[in-house]
Amino acid sequence: MDTNLGEGDNWFPLFFTSHQNITVISAQLTQLLETKFQEEEFSDCFIIEVKSLPNKRVEIFVDSDSGITFAKCQQISRYLEAEIDEKGWLGEKYTLEVSSPGITRPLMFPRQYARNIGRKVEVKQVEGAAKTGTLIEVNEAAITLESKQRIKEGKKKKTVVIQDIIPFSNIKETKVK
């Protein structure tokens, strides 16, 4: 390899070009998904994340307001595979995984919270404090968690129900427990 570059010559390592292509492919896949989700059968679906990894591996996490099924993930995967193959974006050998985010991944969008009302969640807040409780309410600005705490009142202990309202702007991460 000639490393003697003249003035005005540009040299970009191979990984930079690959990263650019992966970023473009991620954007193209996102656009394809948005088009697919305009179809009636998929109209309540939404993208959680499109992740391009080394070795032509793509992970796509999708969800829906009514709950994502294996069959929907399979249909979405086949649709994307057909487009990728037709356009030759990733060549002949690649790995494409389309799945739901699962409970191990944090909730990312307010519409995910609504589906989890009644479930126990752990919320890590921006300033560092964590709260665990049952998600009882969601609106466009905040969530409400309910938890029970034992407090000492005189010589006796009693259980009280506490509700914490946490604005979305103060949420760093929320996971279903």
Side-chain angles (χ1 to χ4, degrees), residues 95-143:
T95 303
L96 174 66
E97 291 182 22
V98 176
S99 67
S100 68
I103 63 169
T104 59
R105 295 182 60 85
L107 303 178
M108 297 181 69
F109 301 105
R111 63 196 289 186
Q112 288 179 284
Y113 285 82
R115 281 204 12 253
N116 286 289
I117 289 176
R119 297 180 85 179
K120 189 174 184 177
V121 297
E122 179 183 47
V123 178
K124 291 181 183 173
Q125 298 179 77
V126 173
E127 76 273 351
K131 292 192 183 276
T132 302
T134 302
L135 181 62
I136 61 166
E137 187 179 342
V138 178
N139 62 41
E140 60 280 344
I143 63 171

Side-chain angles (χ1 to χ4, degrees), residues 53-95:
L53 303 167
N55 300 325
K56 296 183 183 181
R57 180 180 162 93
V58 179
E59 290 180 350
I60 297 176
F61 296 96
V62 295
D63 207 346
S64 83
D65 297 326
S66 60
I68 196 78
T69 63
F70 176 76
K72 272 189 182 178
C73 286
Q74 193 174 35
Q75 289 174 303
I76 293 166
S77 179
R78 287 183 180 152
Y79 165 74
L80 292 174
E81 286 170 358
E83 292 291 325
I84 291 168
D85 291 346
E86 180 184 318
K87 294 182 173 57
W89 288 339
L90 293 171
E92 289 185 26
K93 291 186 179 184
Y94 62 90
T95 303

